[in-house]
């Protein structure tokens, strides 16, 4: 699995990163979505990994994903900055067109 971070998105991530949270986690959030197949693909900074995490290929950050959540993402993805929000997409589909800075910085407890 690979995530390419576009230059504008990289600049924004650097502004959001909390010093003691150097890892980006890809996460499929199902909280409040009804069932396990309905969810939202997000990412957020963290300082924790687990034994079930796999590393996502990336040149700028250490990015991890739980091995069981890989099915909700694509083998190749791109993170872009729209000027207001982040957008996570793959060559096949839009994965999340409105990923907020607040979620990336603070984590899943802030998903609205």
């Amino acid at each position: 699995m690979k995530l390419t971070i576009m230059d504008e998105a990289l600049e924004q991530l650097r502004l959001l990163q909390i010093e003691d949270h150097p890892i980006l986690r890809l996460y499929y959030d199902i909280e409040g979505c009804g069932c396990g197949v309905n969810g939202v693909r997000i990412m957020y900074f963290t300082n924790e990994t687990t034994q079930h995490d796999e590393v996502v290929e990336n040149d700028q950050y250490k990015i991890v994903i739980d091995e069981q959540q890989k099915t909700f993402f694509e083998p190749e993805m791109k993170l872009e900055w729209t000027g207001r929000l982040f957008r996570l997409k793959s060559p096949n589909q839009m994965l999340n067109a409105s990923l907020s800075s607040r979620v990336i910085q603070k984590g899943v407890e802030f998903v609205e």
Side-chain angles (χ1 to χ4, degrees), residues 1 41 65-74:
M1 184 175 283
R41 294 164 185 94
I65 186 169
D66 184 281
E67 61 190 21
Q68 293 183 345
Q69 290 204 341
K70 283 176 58 174
T71 60
F72 298 109
F73 292 85
E74 296 282 332

Side-chain angles (χ1 to χ4, degrees), residues 25-83:
R25 175 173 295 284
L26 290 175
Y27 185 75
Y28 190 71
D29 186 28
I30 58 171
E31 186 70 32
C33 294
C35 73
V37 295
N38 293 325
V40 179
R41 294 164 185 94
I42 64 171
M43 64 188 313
Y44 61 92
F45 282 108
T46 184
N47 59 358
E48 300 176 355
T49 60
T50 72
Q51 64 184 8
H52 303 289
D53 286 340
E54 294 184 18
V55 174
V56 176
E57 184 182 339
N58 179 270
D59 292 333
Q60 294 88 8
Y61 283 99
K62 179 176 183 180
I63 302 175
V64 296
I65 186 169
D66 184 281
E67 61 190 21
Q68 293 183 345
Q69 290 204 341
K70 283 176 58 174
T71 60
F72 298 109
F73 292 85
E74 296 282 332
E76 295 210 16
M77 297 169 289
K78 185 185 300 185
L79 184 68
E80 299 176 339
W81 173 250
T82 68

